[in-house]
Amino acid sequence: MNDKVFQIWHQKREQGFLNWLSKSTLGSFAFYLVFSIAFQYSSIGEQGIASFVKSQWVNYVLFAALMIIANGLLWLYRESSYKKEARRRNIM
Protein backbone atom coordinates (compact mmCIF):
# COMPACT_ATOMS: atom_id res chain seq x y z
CA MET A 1 0.00 0.00 0.00
CA ASN A 2 1.55 3.29 -1.04
CA ASP A 3 1.49 6.44 1.07
CA LYS A 4 -1.35 8.12 -0.80
CA VAL A 5 -3.69 5.11 -0.54
CA PHE A 6 -2.72 4.65 3.10
CA GLN A 7 -3.58 8.26 3.95
CA ILE A 8 -6.86 8.20 2.03
CA TRP A 9 -8.00 5.05 3.79
CA HIS A 10 -6.91 6.49 7.14
CA GLN A 11 -9.22 9.45 6.53
CA LYS A 12 -12.11 7.29 5.35
CA ARG A 13 -11.89 4.89 8.26
CA GLU A 14 -12.15 7.82 10.69
CA GLN A 15 -15.64 8.49 9.30
CA GLY A 16 -16.73 5.06 10.46
CA PHE A 17 -17.98 1.89 8.87
CA LEU A 18 -21.69 2.71 8.68
CA ASN A 19 -21.11 6.18 7.27
CA TRP A 20 -18.76 4.83 4.59
CA LEU A 21 -21.06 1.88 3.83
CA SER A 22 -24.13 4.09 3.42
CA LYS A 23 -22.33 6.62 1.20
CA SER A 24 -20.79 3.93 -0.99
CA THR A 25 -24.02 2.00 -1.35
CA LEU A 26 -26.10 5.11 -2.00
CA GLY A 27 -23.63 6.31 -4.64
CA SER A 28 -23.59 3.00 -6.49
CA PHE A 29 -27.38 2.68 -6.23
CA ALA A 30 -27.92 6.18 -7.64
CA PHE A 31 -25.54 5.38 -10.51
CA TYR A 32 -27.40 2.11 -11.22
CA LEU A 33 -30.81 3.79 -11.05
CA VAL A 34 -29.90 6.63 -13.41
CA PHE A 35 -28.22 4.42 -15.98
CA SER A 36 -30.92 1.77 -15.74
CA ILE A 37 -33.50 4.38 -16.66
CA ALA A 38 -31.27 6.03 -19.28
CA PHE A 39 -30.36 2.84 -21.14
CA GLN A 40 -33.80 1.28 -20.94
CA TYR A 41 -35.67 4.47 -21.78
CA SER A 42 -36.91 3.05 -25.08
CA SER A 43 -38.70 0.26 -23.20
CA ILE A 44 -40.42 2.77 -20.93
CA GLY A 45 -42.65 4.00 -23.73
CA GLU A 46 -45.98 5.52 -22.83
CA GLN A 47 -45.99 4.11 -19.30
CA GLY A 48 -43.73 6.79 -17.90
CA ILE A 49 -40.69 6.63 -15.67
CA ALA A 50 -42.65 6.09 -12.44
CA SER A 51 -44.33 3.01 -13.85
CA PHE A 52 -41.00 1.69 -15.12
CA VAL A 53 -39.33 2.15 -11.74
CA LYS A 54 -42.27 0.47 -10.04
CA SER A 55 -41.96 -2.54 -12.34
CA GLN A 56 -38.22 -2.79 -11.63
CA TRP A 57 -38.35 -2.51 -7.82
CA VAL A 58 -37.22 -6.12 -7.29
CA ASN A 59 -34.09 -5.45 -9.33
CA TYR A 60 -33.35 -2.29 -7.38
CA VAL A 61 -33.81 -3.97 -3.99
CA LEU A 62 -31.61 -6.90 -5.04
CA PHE A 63 -28.92 -4.56 -6.36
CA ALA A 64 -28.96 -2.50 -3.15
CA ALA A 65 -28.68 -5.63 -1.00
CA LEU A 66 -25.80 -6.98 -3.07
CA MET A 67 -24.00 -3.62 -2.92
CA ILE A 68 -24.31 -3.53 0.87
CA ILE A 69 -22.70 -6.98 1.02
CA ALA A 70 -20.02 -6.12 -1.55
CA ASN A 71 -19.16 -2.80 0.11
CA GLY A 72 -19.04 -4.50 3.52
CA LEU A 73 -16.58 -7.06 2.17
CA LEU A 74 -14.58 -4.30 0.51
CA TRP A 75 -14.36 -2.47 3.84
CA LEU A 76 -13.05 -5.63 5.54
CA TYR A 77 -10.45 -6.13 2.82
CA ARG A 78 -9.26 -2.53 2.90
CA GLU A 79 -9.21 -2.48 6.69
CA SER A 80 -7.12 -5.65 6.73
CA SER A 81 -4.68 -4.15 4.23
CA TYR A 82 -4.51 -0.94 6.25
CA LYS A 83 -3.78 -2.79 9.48
CA LYS A 84 -1.04 -4.87 7.84
CA GLU A 85 0.56 -1.71 6.46
CA ALA A 86 0.22 0.08 9.82
CA ARG A 87 1.97 -2.82 11.56
CA ARG A 88 4.67 -2.79 8.91
CA ARG A 89 5.20 0.94 9.52
CA ASN A 90 5.09 0.41 13.30
CA ILE A 91 2.11 2.71 13.69
CA MET A 92 -0.12 0.19 15.45
Side-chain angles (χ1 to χ4, degrees):
M1 184 179 277
N2 64 31
D3 287 335
K4 185 176 180 180
V5 173
F6 186 80
Q7 290 301 329
I8 290 171
W9 187 250
H10 178 73
Q11 293 170 353
K12 288 186 184 219
R13 73 190 298 263
E14 287 177 351
Q15 296 174 6
F17 171 71
L18 292 177
N19 189 15
W20 182 86
L21 182 68
S22 61
K23 284 181 180 179
S24 300
T25 302
L26 185 62
S28 60
F29 180 75
F31 181 82
Y32 178 71
L33 182 67
V34 167
F35 282 97
S36 171
I37 291 170
F39 288 124
Q40 296 180 17
Y41 186 74
S42 62
S43 68
I44 294 173
E46 298 296 320
Q47 299 171 355
I49 291 176
S51 177
F52 173 75
V53 170
K54 195 179 219 182
S55 70
Q56 296 292 316
W57 74 270
V58 174
N59 292 338
Y60 297 139
V61 169
L62 181 62
F63 180 81
L66 290 174
M67 287 312 299
I68 289 171
I69 293 168
N71 285 329
L73 291 173
L74 182 61
W75 172 276
L76 293 174
Y77 172 75
R78 288 181 176 172
E79 188 66 13
S80 172
S81 297
Y82 175 83
K83 286 180 180 179
K84 285 179 188 175
E85 185 67 20
R87 280 192 297 269
R88 189 182 73 75
R89 296 178 184 202
N90 292 324
I91 296 173
M92 291 182 101

